Amino acid sequence: MTMSFTEFMQHLANGISLGSLYALIAIGYTMVYGILRLINFAHGDIFMLGAYLTYYAIVFTSIPWYIAFILAAVITGIIGFLLERIAYRPLRDAQRITVLISAIGASFFLQNFATVVFGGRPKAFPIPQLLNKIVNLGGVSINIVTFIIPAITIGLLIGLNYIINKTKTGMAMRALSKDYDTARLMGIDVNRIISITFFIGSFLAAVGGIMWGIKYPQLMPLMGSMPGVKCFIAAVIGGIGNIGGAVLGGFILGLGEILLVALLPGLTGYRDAFAFILLIIILLAKPTGLLGEKVTEKV
Amino acid sequence: MLKIENLHINYGGINAVRGINLTIEDNKIVTLIGANGAGKSSTLRAIMGLVKKAQGSIKYNNEDITNLSTVEIVKKGIVLVPEGRHVFPNLTVEENLILGAYTIDNREEVEKNMKEVYNIFPRLKERHWQKAGTLSGGEQQMLAVGRALMVKPKVLMMDEPSLGLAPILVKEIFDIIKRINEQGNTILLVEQNAKKALEIADYGYVLETGELKLKGTGKELLNDSRVQEAYLGESRNKAQ
Ligand SMILES: Nc1ncnc2c1ncn2[C@@H]1O[C@H](COP(=O)(O)OP(=O)(O)OP(=O)(O)O)[C@@H](O)[C@H]1O
Ligand SMILES: [Mg+2]
């Protein structure tokens, strides 16, 4: 059961990298919830689409991998935008439960669509050579992806933070999360802001999906389910609706999961249960999540 | 000129507003007074396209704006300061003002307008970094008005701007309304404080359970015994 320092550092790096992935996906849940009070059940499947689109862009075209990454993320963003247009917008004035059922339906649709179109058999994600190197840092040998993932995540978080806090669109998003009618009175086009929100959330999920593919290079149509649920939990743990909370929740979950398996190998089988147990404990202690405030019901 | 014709508003089975006609001439202060639940806020919200109109038409400078979206109406220069302030509590004072100018893309214009708003409400400038939710009620009201001024509205509609303010602030708000009007803005003012509203109004309408009961110049209404009795509480004072 004892572990060397280098081993511990390895696990720590892995935890941070998994945590970054969770954070990226959790942001999409929290942004959509913040504005629409909707749990976008199809978000995990958007993540899956991001990974598959990258696969096809790399395997079936000759564009460089980095262009393929960006292209796939942008297209996934557009799919997220379309998802809202088709599955949620027509129900804007419907009861919340109706929209929730539509979200579950959208999730099933995307999973089955992927099974039919991409095939049920796992596909091997084509990892670019450049990203598949083992480096040795003071006796710790680690795949450089483990560092690239958090680095890209931090870059994206800085960009997102800028959009949310410094741009008019970001201010409109924050305003919408409080008061639709008054936002309209400012001349804010509510539908446009919602579309942008879905694009950003889906774009980030796709980046998560791509990096997931590099880390765990096996693509399956249902690969989005478990990460989807876990990242939703991460968003709730952090305080749903709060972007910083989603990031925090993602890191707690990722680190916790890896360290649990590393320190208590006997509990490896409970790896997925860890997220749920943590969720229950945190919600019992703080029902609004770690950074959440009381969510006001919108009229 | 803003012209409301035969406006009807229904909420479910309730007919909250039943066929009212209002004319708001340019550069005038027009007030709409009436008891709680008379339909004043509903009327303003219907003009802004926030509430569905069951019947009727709204024309602005002879253009039919009945079915325009709220965004398009704001772009025409018609702006509402909603009842109960409704500042965005999670945004700073400055961000609230920036959102007030959401429809203006020119940065310098936004900065210029913000300067003017800060001139009218120096208090807001002092507190520009503060989250609007932590402002006092009076400060929030100033912010709500200042935010509406950020687009230099042609028609400024205000729903009970003096609600919940201390008398000194009430006076200040009414002075500011007059000043804004003198700068060439048309104002449609909804008030519980009927006396103060009629004193500064060029024209007034009295709304009673969804129907217009009286209209006239501010002065005429102030001197009307029915208005005095119902809204100015004068006859009761005399009787005592
Ligand atoms: N969203 C709504 N749903 C159902 N009924 C409503 C709604 N909004 C207003 N009403 C009803 O319509 C009527 C008019 O309301 P409105 O808010 O326009 O009155 P008001 O004149 O502004 O009153 P106050 O002076 O109290 O603000 C009231 O009877 C009110 O209960
Ligand atoms: Mg009202």
Side-chain angles (χ1 to χ4, degrees):
Chain A
M1 282 273 281
T2 51
M3 183 187 293
S4 71
F5 177 71
T6 49
E7 267 177 324
F8 178 75
M9 291 311 284
Q10 232 158 1
H11 291 308
L12 194 66
N14 270 327
I16 289 173
S17 134
L18 183 64
S20 319
L21 290 181
Y22 285 167
L24 281 182
I25 305 164
I27 288 170
Y29 279 111
T30 231
M31 283 178 80
V32 166
Y33 186 87
I35 290 185
L36 287 179
R37 300 288 183 269
L38 162 73
I39 299 162
N40 179 14
F41 275 107
H43 193 58
D45 307 299
I46 292 282
F47 155 88
M48 171 272 294
L49 284 181
Y52 268 102
L53 285 173
T54 312
Y55 169 88
Y56 283 102
I58 291 181
V59 173
F60 288 101
T61 72
S62 53
I63 53 177
W65 58 269
Y66 46 90
I67 305 279
F69 282 14
I70 296 171
L71 195 66
V74 170
I75 294 176
T76 310
I78 294 171
I79 293 174
F81 157 84
L82 291 174
L83 167 74
E84 190 272 325
R85 290 296 289 256
I86 296 166
Y88 304 146
R89 188 170 300 180
L91 301 170
R92 189 61 47 79
D93 296 322
Q95 289 192 358
R96 204 164 302 167
I97 186 75
T98 314
V99 193
L100 211 60
I101 291 167
S102 183
I104 294 169
S107 170
F108 282 163
F109 170 78
L110 290 177
Q111 289 174 3
N112 287 292
F113 174 86
T115 309
V116 171
V117 176
F118 308 143
R121 252 200 266 144
K123 288 197 179 348
F125 190 85
I127 306 171
Q129 277 305 312
L130 198 69
L131 303 182
N132 201 14
K133 279 199 194 100
I134 307 289
V135 288
N136 201 309
L137 286 178
V140 191
S141 57
I142 287 180
N143 194 321
I144 54 166
V145 173
T146 312
F147 297 109
I148 291 173
I149 291 174
I152 290 180
T153 301
I154 288 168
L156 289 171
L157 288 181
I158 291 171
L160 180 67
N161 188 53
Y162 178 81
I163 293 175
I164 300 285
N165 289 311
K166 298 282 177 234
T167 67
K168 246 168 42 169
T169 301
M171 285 176 211
M173 284 175 177
R174 284 183 283 145
L176 267 188
S177 75
K178 291 288 176 192
D179 193 336
Y180 267 45
D181 274 355
T182 308
R184 284 201 183 92
L185 288 177
M186 305 295 110
I188 294 170
D189 183 342
V190 171
N191 282 334
R192 186 169 158 269
I193 299 296
I194 290 173
S195 289
I196 294 173
T197 304
F198 270 84
F199 178 87
I200 292 176
S202 305
F203 178 91
L204 294 178
V207 176
I210 294 166
M211 298 198 290
W212 189 279
I214 298 172
K215 211 167 155 55
Y216 310 102
Q218 211 184 38
L219 307 186
M220 286 174 289
L222 296 185
M223 66 183 274
S225 302
M226 194 38 93
V229 171
K230 282 187 190 165
C231 294
F232 172 62
I233 291 176
V236 174
I237 285 177
I240 193 138
N242 181 311
I243 293 179
V247 174
L248 180 68
F251 276 104
I252 290 177
L253 218 57
L255 264 170
E257 204 179 299
I258 296 279
L259 292 182
L260 175 85
V261 173
L263 298 172
L264 305 166
L267 294 182
T268 306
Y270 293 98
R271 184 177 172 159
D272 288 341
F274 171 73
F276 295 93
I277 295 166
L278 193 66
L279 174 71
I280 293 168
I281 294 172
I282 289 186
L283 287 191
L284 282 176
K286 196 160 185 297
T288 54
L290 295 174
L291 303 184
E293 36 186 319
K294 235 178 109 201
V295 173
T296 43
E297 286 290 310
K298 262 185 269 195
V299 254
Chain B
M1 189 173 67
L2 186 64
K3 217 170 157 72
I4 291 106
E5 273 170 353
N6 190 31
L7 177 66
H8 285 256
I9 301 167
N10 298 339
Y11 297 108
I14 308 160
N15 307 341
V17 173
R18 298 187 295 247
I20 65 170
N21 299 292
L22 307 172
T23 303
I24 296 109
E25 307 255 13
D26 287 348
N27 302 335
K28 295 275 191 289
I29 300 180
V30 176
T31 186
L32 182 60
I33 58 175
N36 292 116
K40 306 178 297 291
S41 299
S42 302
T43 302
L44 297 190
R45 293 170 65 80
I47 295 172
M48 291 309 297
L50 286 178
V51 165
K52 238 172 86 192
K53 307 157 194 83
Q55 241 189 84
S57 79
I58 296 168
K59 289 205 183 79
Y60 180 55
N61 293 341
N62 289 325
E63 184 189 353
D64 188 0
I65 61 165
T66 315
N67 296 315
L68 292 190
S69 70
T70 307
V71 176
E72 289 166 313
I73 292 169
V74 171
K75 284 185 176 159
K76 297 247 173 256
I78 303 172
V79 167
L80 169 66
V81 180
E83 182 178 356
R85 296 154 196 157
H86 286 276
V87 295
F88 299 112
N90 53 335
L91 271 61
T92 66
V93 168
E94 188 149 314
E95 289 172 335
N96 267 276
L97 292 179
I98 291 172
L99 279 189
Y102 188 81
T103 49
I104 302 178
D105 288 326
N106 183 334
R107 258 223 165 111
E108 280 132 50
E109 199 181 332
V110 175
E111 303 242 308
K112 201 177 116 247
N113 294 356
M114 193 180 300
K115 246 190 213 135
E116 284 175 32
V117 168
Y118 282 151
N119 272 338
I120 302 175
F121 301 105
R123 193 59 173 267
L124 294 182
K125 183 164 189 185
E126 286 164 31
R127 312 207 154 257
H128 70 273
W129 49 270
Q130 196 173 327
K131 286 261 156 70
T134 66
L135 294 175
S136 78
E139 289 163 348
Q140 289 190 13
Q141 188 63 63
M142 292 178 198
L143 179 56
V145 176
R147 186 176 62 180
L149 292 177
M150 284 296 293
V151 278
K152 301 223 154 172
K154 298 203 181 78
V155 179
L156 178 62
M157 305 196 291
M158 288 191 249
D159 197 346
E160 305 200 20
S162 75
L163 189 76
L165 298 187
I168 179 126
L169 268 183
V170 173
K171 188 178 175 306
E172 196 177 324
I173 283 278
F174 277 95
D175 286 345
I176 285 165
I177 293 171
K178 259 199 293 200
R179 241 163 72 203
I180 296 168
N181 169 248
E182 277 156 16
Q183 285 168 11
N185 294 289
T186 308
I187 288 175
L188 176 54
L189 177 66
V190 160
E191 261 299 336
Q192 290 282 341
N193 197 331
K195 185 162 184 286
K196 278 237 150 49
L198 289 172
E199 274 168 9
I200 64 164
D202 296 298
Y203 206 80
Y205 293 92
V206 179
L207 195 59
E208 221 166 79
T209 52
E211 285 170 22
L212 279 183
K213 276 283 131 78
L214 292 167
K215 58 183 178 179
T217 63
K219 223 181 195 156
E220 282 166 4
L221 291 177
L222 268 177
N223 293 324
D224 189 296
S225 61
R226 289 163 295 181
V227 174
Q228 286 175 352
E229 195 171 327
Y231 302 103
L232 305 176
E234 305 227 324
S235 64
R236 212 200 297 149
N237 289 347
K238 273 178 210 153
Q240 277 170 351

